[in-house]
Amino acid sequence: MRRLQLFFLMLIFFACNNSKPKKEYKLSSSGNINNLLLVIDDDLWAGRVGDVLREYVGSEIYGLPQIEPYFDMRQVPIAVFTDFVRLNRIVLKVQISDESGVKYYKDPYASPQTMVVINAKDSDELTALIKTNSTDIVSSFRAVEIREKQRRINKSLFNSSSIKTALGVDIRFSSAYRIAKAKDKFFWIRRDTDNGSLNLLLYTTSMKEFNNSSLFNEYIIKQRDSVAQSEIPGPNEGDFMITDRSYNPSFFKTKISGLNVLETRSVWKVNGAFMSGPFVNYCFLDKSNDRFIIAEGFVYAPGKEKREYMLELEAIIRSISIDKIKE
């Protein structure tokens, strides 16, 4: 009898263990940075729906001197979306369906992965949904790619302790960079390329110098021009970098590490030399210390596409954390 009872207890034990859900294993996602897999049947891709996708999701990046889209889009029919094709890190699926709407999925087939599915009952409804939701969809995919870039950067980090000591700023950038200039509370960080460079400026300014919020956008431009003129020399004596005023800058309020930040994008040029390129400027509000912390990335890469370089600089800047911020 005791053996029989023990037998039943063992059956219950193993049954309970087997009833626990097993952790599902996900393959690692794949794909180059900014490589968007677009899952849509050929007839839709060749028609009006495809045109709208190319116009809105494949739109050009503002702030670059030449036309470059946010993503390199690779289209496959829905029937082909199986096996290893599903492992792309960012996926947009567009299809005719009895349901209508836009859904976001995290790690459906691989990790990390973000997939957005747009369903609609006909082509007209699909185009309307794409137009309405394209900004959020692009932002969602860009956030994934920035995190992926940060993951790759973190594999080999530069020791930035001197920056933290001087500015109270934690920032993560790769060991391929070097500190080209360190002066008071100003840092110029640089990575040289075959025919140019990626550059990051970090410095602070006092809030006491500025008290008119309605003119803040203009203050940012004047401040960056002043710093660039004094700290970033051109190829010849007397040359200096300034904002190209023929290109209208874009201003956008955002948050980084929970902090209020003003993001500015535009084009720089060298006064006195035929040199130019894109820049992105982030102004952090450090109210607890009555200062602005400025982080700016700019690229010099003549004759080269600059999208990947700018994404790298943005990923570095978005790694910033600042101690004792009180807003």
Side-chain angles (χ1 to χ4, degrees), residues 146 150 153 169-173 199-202 256-257 261 263-265 279-284 293-298 310-322:
I146 286 173
Q150 289 174 334
I153 289 171
V169 172
D170 275 321
I171 183 169
R172 303 168 75 86
F173 54 92
N199 303 269
L200 180 68
L201 306 181
L202 281 172
I256 297 176
S257 299
V261 178
E263 173 190 305
T264 306
R265 293 180 183 269
F279 76 82
V280 59
N281 180 294
Y282 290 84
C283 179
F284 295 75
I293 298 176
I294 311 295
E296 176 172 313
F298 69 92
M310 290 300 293
L311 184 108
E312 179 173 324
L313 291 171
E314 185 175 351
I316 291 170
I317 294 174
R318 287 184 172 273
S319 76
I320 283 178
S321 62
I322 304 169

Side-chain angles (χ1 to χ4, degrees), residues 34-53:
N34 293 325
N35 187 339
L36 173 62
L37 181 64
L38 193 56
V39 184
I40 179 174
D41 285 335
D42 293 341
D43 57 338
L44 291 175
W45 180 241
R48 174 61 178 159
V49 174
D51 292 339
V52 172
L53 284 167

Side-chain angles (χ1 to χ4, degrees), residues 204-210 219 284-293 324-326:
T204 65
T205 62
S206 173
M207 284 187 175
K208 295 177 182 178
E209 297 177 1
F210 180 81
Y219 169 80
F284 295 75
L285 277 66
D286 183 1
K287 294 182 179 179
S288 63
N289 293 303
D290 293 324
R291 65 176 183 168
F292 300 119
I293 298 176
K324 297 181 180 179
I325 293 289
K326 298 179 181 178

